[in-house]
Amino acid sequence: MSSAVEAAKRKSESALATAKDIAADAPAAMQKVREDPKAATQSFLHSPFVRGALPFINGGAAGMVATSVIQPVDMIKVRLQLAGEGVKTGPKPTPMSVTRDIIAAGKVMDLYTGLSAGLLRQAVYTTARLGFFDTFMKRLTVRAEAKGNKIGFGERATAGLAAGGLAAMAGNPADLALIRMQSDGLKPAGQRANYRGVGDALMRIAKTEGVARLWAGAYPTVVRAMALNFGQLAFFSEAKARLKDTSMGPRAQTLTASAVAGFFASFFSLPFDFMKTRLQKQTRGPDGTLPYKGMFDCFKKVIAEEGPLRFYRGFSTYYVRIAPHAMVTLIVADYLNFITK
């Protein structure tokens, strides 16, 4: 017993001595900050904790900026995917007709429905996917250089797929809330949930349908994210590497590489995005059943009832949504990475 007391006493004395040392050094540290704030900032930015956190912070900030710009296009994309559900023939909506309907039914700001959920999704999803991608790429680069090799497309693809899958699982609840908020206006007035914001949507879905429902559509969401990241991050990184020795300037290289990445991201991910939207929008009918049992059931029913080309309906709108979003995200992230080197 006495030995334990002595040990505790020694630990408290050691902690007290450490605290006194820190307090004694504080005035000198503050003086350094006043004399050379730039050096102090650089010292803080290069601390191990901050260096590890910066890819995630930069990624989240870049994604939120891009979402604020592109939210109306995302709203139109979701409405296009949900139009004509279960019907193979009939009038085909266009981006212009959907936009006119939204504005005619309410007001221009309705195009920003779900912005709070979109920002939350970016704060979680893009923070994670760009942060993980940057972290994975650094480790793969070190491993390749240790073997005397250069990092290749295979490593970039692996980093993109892994980062996308991990981030999608974390961001699925916000993604679900976004789809619910954007599709709410398609219901008759008496059946609308009229969510006040993303927090209200998440709480009401969890309360009425169960917490597990927040991860509805997680499988296609993860696959979509992996496909999108494969197209976006892997091709962006590869394109930048190939453009590095050209006569193009750094900004032109980033812009061109992000445009290429946006196309491949759209092509690979749209079918999964389509199924994700359908699965996340669905709610139980009066008999307690859901229209789709899962991703594969959704795939089969859409093929049978609406045709295979339905998966690529709205590709131009999706590209206009994905490409600028990818470009803004990657350019802002690239710039933030540059200024925080």
Side-chain angles (χ1 to χ4, degrees):
M1 181 71 177
S2 60
S3 62
V5 172
E6 286 296 325
K9 185 178 179 181
R10 285 195 299 271
K11 285 182 180 179
S12 63
E13 288 174 349
S14 175
L16 183 60
T18 302
K20 286 180 178 178
D21 290 340
I22 293 172
D25 292 339
M30 291 300 293
Q31 182 64 27
K32 286 182 180 179
V33 171
R34 285 194 292 268
E35 291 174 356
D36 193 350
K38 186 175 181 181
T41 302
Q42 288 297 321
S43 177
F44 173 73
L45 286 175
H46 285 85
S47 64
F49 173 77
V50 174
R51 297 316 298 174
L54 272 175
F56 295 86
I57 296 169
N58 291 349
M64 292 174 79
V65 170
T67 289
S68 299
V69 174
I70 219 72
Q71 181 69 13
V73 181
D74 188 61
M75 175 69 164
I76 295 165
K77 182 268 297 183
V78 168
R79 291 292 180 87
L80 278 170
Q81 290 178 333
L82 295 176
E85 186 173 0
V87 180
K88 193 168 186 177
T89 58
K92 295 181 179 180
T94 65
M96 288 302 297
S97 67
V98 170
T99 304
R100 283 197 302 268
D101 290 344
I102 293 172
I103 294 173
K107 50 188 177 181
V108 175
M109 290 308 295
D110 283 353
L111 291 168
Y112 278 90
T113 298
L115 179 60
S116 59
L119 291 174
L120 176 62
R121 179 178 179 275
Q122 293 303 318
V124 177
Y125 170 68
T126 303
T127 294
R129 75 183 179 95
L130 293 187
F132 280 132
F133 181 75
D134 189 77
T135 302
F136 294 157
M137 283 292 289
K138 285 177 180 175
R139 291 183 180 179
L140 290 170
T141 300
V142 170
R143 192 172 72 174
E145 289 176 349
K147 296 179 181 179
N149 301 324
K150 287 186 176 181
I151 193 166
F153 183 75
E155 287 88 350
R156 292 187 177 95
T158 301
L161 290 168
L166 290 170
M169 281 300 294
N172 198 82
D175 202 21
L176 176 75
L178 174 62
I179 297 299
R180 290 291 184 89
M181 292 172 76
Q182 289 179 324
S183 63
D184 198 44
L186 293 173
K187 299 176 182 177
Q191 298 177 19
R192 293 177 189 173
N194 295 317
Y195 300 114
R196 294 190 298 273
V198 62
D200 179 50
L202 290 171
M203 286 191 293
R204 286 167 64 183
I205 292 168
K207 186 177 180 180
T208 58
E209 303 176 45
V211 175
R213 187 65 188 160
L214 295 174
W215 273 268
Y219 186 50
T221 299
V222 169
V223 177
R224 174 222 183 239
M226 293 174 74
L228 188 144
N229 264 30
F230 170 70
Q232 186 182 105
L233 298 180
F235 279 90
F236 175 74
S237 184
E238 182 72 14
K240 277 203 76 176
R242 291 181 178 273
L243 292 169
K244 192 174 182 180
D245 298 325
T246 65
S247 59
M248 298 173 70
R251 289 183 180 178
Q253 289 179 15
T254 299
L255 193 64
T256 304
S258 59
V260 171
F263 174 81
F264 283 104
S266 302
F267 179 78
F268 286 122
S269 67
L270 181 55
F272 302 107
D273 184 85
F274 179 93
M275 288 185 283
K276 173 190 76 70
T277 300
R278 288 285 179 92
L279 288 170
Q280 290 181 330
K281 172 258 180 184
Q282 66 176 348
T283 54
R284 295 188 183 278
D287 59 354
T289 61
L290 291 168
Y292 307 111
K293 297 175 182 177
M295 187 177 80
F296 294 107
D297 183 52
C298 178
F299 179 81
K300 288 189 295 183
K301 285 182 177 177
V302 171
I303 289 285
E305 298 170 2
E306 304 173 47
L309 292 179
R310 182 59 61 91
F311 291 110
Y312 278 94
R313 171 187 274 181
F315 178 81
S316 59
T317 305
Y318 187 64
Y319 178 72
V320 169
R321 181 248 185 261
I322 288 292
H325 193 283
M327 292 168 76
V328 173
T329 300
L330 295 169
I331 289 168
V332 172
D334 224 34
Y335 177 72
L336 290 174
N337 289 333
F338 172 75
I339 65 174
T340 53
K341 277 185 180 178

